[in-house]
Amino acid sequence: MHSRSNDLILKTTTNIIVFVILAFSINMLFSGHNAPGGGFIGGLMGAGAFLLLYVSYGLQPVHRILPINFTYMIAAGLLIAILTGAGSFVLGVPFLSHSFGYFQLPLLGKTELATAMLFDLGVYLTVIGVTMTIILSIAEDKIEKEVGEGN
């Protein structure tokens, strides 16, 4: 006999908390090249938000709503980080040399854009991808083991 858990409070608060965590995660990503933070801690926070969704709603419902392949996210993040570093060779400067400039952007005004931000984006995507791939593979193995034992 399966007992239904009363997870209404968890699901309701998750809907709000996930957006708050993702907002702080993106804030850490954007402020990382000028202040403490960056792609790594932002990626861990982002993975924490995704993990909260999976814990609250389960694997299958979240996979249906957010069909994200985290292994592709790892590849995209590594590609961005490597290309950012390799781009310095094109300019004839040492590997991972970064530059920045100030640009007038619509709606944002005068904004600093730095190549360090692109590198942080690569790290961000890689950390989310690796963290979620590890956690989801452990969860899926556990589910397969439980299903196998149930037969």
Side-chain angles (χ1 to χ4, degrees):
M1 176 168 72
H2 291 284
S3 63
R4 277 187 82 193
S5 63
N6 188 3
D7 53 1
L8 178 65
I9 295 173
L10 177 64
K11 288 181 178 180
T12 303
T13 55
T14 294
N15 293 336
I16 298 166
I17 293 172
V18 163
F19 289 108
V20 172
I21 294 172
L22 285 175
F24 279 119
S25 170
I26 292 170
N27 180 41
M28 283 292 189
L29 169 66
F30 284 128
S31 67
H33 62 281
N34 288 330
F40 187 78
I41 188 65
L44 287 177
M45 290 175 68
F50 285 120
L51 182 60
L52 183 58
L53 281 174
Y54 280 104
V55 167
S56 299
Y57 290 99
L59 291 175
Q60 296 307 321
V62 175
H63 279 307
R64 279 195 307 274
I65 295 169
L66 298 172
I68 300 172
N69 187 337
F70 291 104
T71 54
Y72 289 153
M73 190 178 285
I74 296 169
L78 286 174
L79 184 66
I80 291 170
I82 290 169
L83 289 177
T84 302
S88 58
F89 290 139
V90 174
L91 301 174
V93 294
F95 184 67
L96 286 178
S97 294
H98 293 286
S99 62
F100 66 95
Y102 292 93
F103 300 92
Q104 189 70 28
L105 299 177
L107 299 175
L108 297 177
K110 187 177 180 181
T111 305
E112 177 190 13
L113 296 178
T115 57
M117 178 59 212
L118 288 174
F119 182 78
D120 276 345
L121 177 64
V123 171
Y124 181 83
L125 293 174
T126 302
V127 169
I128 289 177
V130 167
T131 306
M132 293 308 298
T133 299
I134 291 170
I135 291 171
L136 291 178
S137 66
I138 292 170
E140 288 168 356
D141 285 348
K142 183 178 183 211
I143 289 172
E144 287 175 10
K145 183 178 178 185
E146 288 174 356
V147 169
E149 290 175 357
N151 289 334

